[in-house]
Amino acid sequence: MNAVVERVRGLRFRAARVSALPLLVRGGIFLVVLAGLLLAYPVQFLAPRALLALTVVAVLPAVGPRRIWPTFAALVTVAGWLLATLGYDRPPALWRLLAVATLLYLAHTLCALAALLPYDGLIDPDLVLRWLARAGGVVLASAVLGIVLAWLGGIGGTDGSQAATVVGLLVAVGLSALLGWLLRRR
């Protein structure tokens, strides 16, 4: 019984020391993941029980960003996208694809930030703003590149989409080579 009482006291002590900025980042994780889930799943699927399950999925990475929950939430979001496009025949609109991809990336980067922030630390708000500005730059560059590649894919009929596929594969191989070179350089 004493061990349980000590655990409750320790939990109350840690909860009293939580600062606002790490709590806001975790709230942002919840909102971004929930928005991604709601955007990915078809409207026909969103019954009250499914909304409750999706809310639980959105809470998990906010509570445990260092664990497997961010990956689990991303997989559930992708499953919702696949369910909507394959199961409910929703056409994959470019704006929806870019929005879901943006929300997945923001959830990922916010989980990485939350994993680094201590609960009880006094964090400079500029740190979070710089982090979000970098994430915004990545999202903007990715969206522009995605739109350009989608436009290039539609130019030449089937030849254009083959060209876009080849360009996409070359970019993926080039980025993999760059990452490998950067890892060896360290």
Side-chain angles (χ1 to χ4, degrees):
M1 187 65 176
N2 287 337
V4 172
V5 170
E6 286 302 315
R7 280 189 169 233
V8 169
R9 281 187 189 155
L11 185 63
R12 283 181 36 204
F13 177 74
R14 280 184 271 147
R17 293 185 49 138
V18 171
S19 59
L21 202 54
L23 206 56
L24 283 174
V25 170
R26 289 171 186 260
I29 292 170
F30 169 74
L31 291 176
V32 166
V33 170
L34 186 62
L37 288 166
L38 292 176
L39 197 57
Y41 277 88
V43 176
Q44 300 89 346
F45 183 79
L46 299 177
R49 284 188 183 180
L51 282 175
L52 179 64
L54 293 178
T55 303
V56 169
V57 169
V59 165
L60 292 173
V63 172
R66 292 182 189 165
R67 303 197 190 297
I68 195 163
W69 301 122
T71 304
F72 175 72
L75 290 174
V76 171
T77 304
V78 170
W81 175 266
L82 291 174
L83 176 71
T85 55
L86 300 176
Y88 286 88
D89 293 327
R90 182 170 71 187
L94 181 62
W95 71 268
R96 190 181 306 264
L97 178 63
L98 288 175
V100 170
T102 297
L103 292 170
L104 281 171
Y105 178 74
L106 288 176
H108 169 74
T109 193
L110 284 174
C111 284
L113 177 63
L116 294 175
L117 294 178
Y119 284 109
D120 58 351
L122 292 175
I123 314 306
D124 186 13
D126 286 341
L127 173 93
V128 176
L129 290 176
R130 286 191 314 262
W131 188 286
L132 291 175
R134 270 190 299 244
V138 169
V139 164
L140 181 63
S142 299
V144 168
L145 184 63
I147 290 170
V148 167
L149 287 176
W151 175 73
L152 286 175
I155 285 179
T158 58
D159 295 337
S161 67
Q162 287 176 352
T165 302
V166 170
V167 169
L169 287 173
L170 290 175
V171 167
V173 168
L175 286 175
S176 298
L178 176 66
L179 289 173
W181 175 73
L182 287 173
L183 284 174
R184 278 182 285 187
R185 198 174 122 210
R186 286 184 6 169

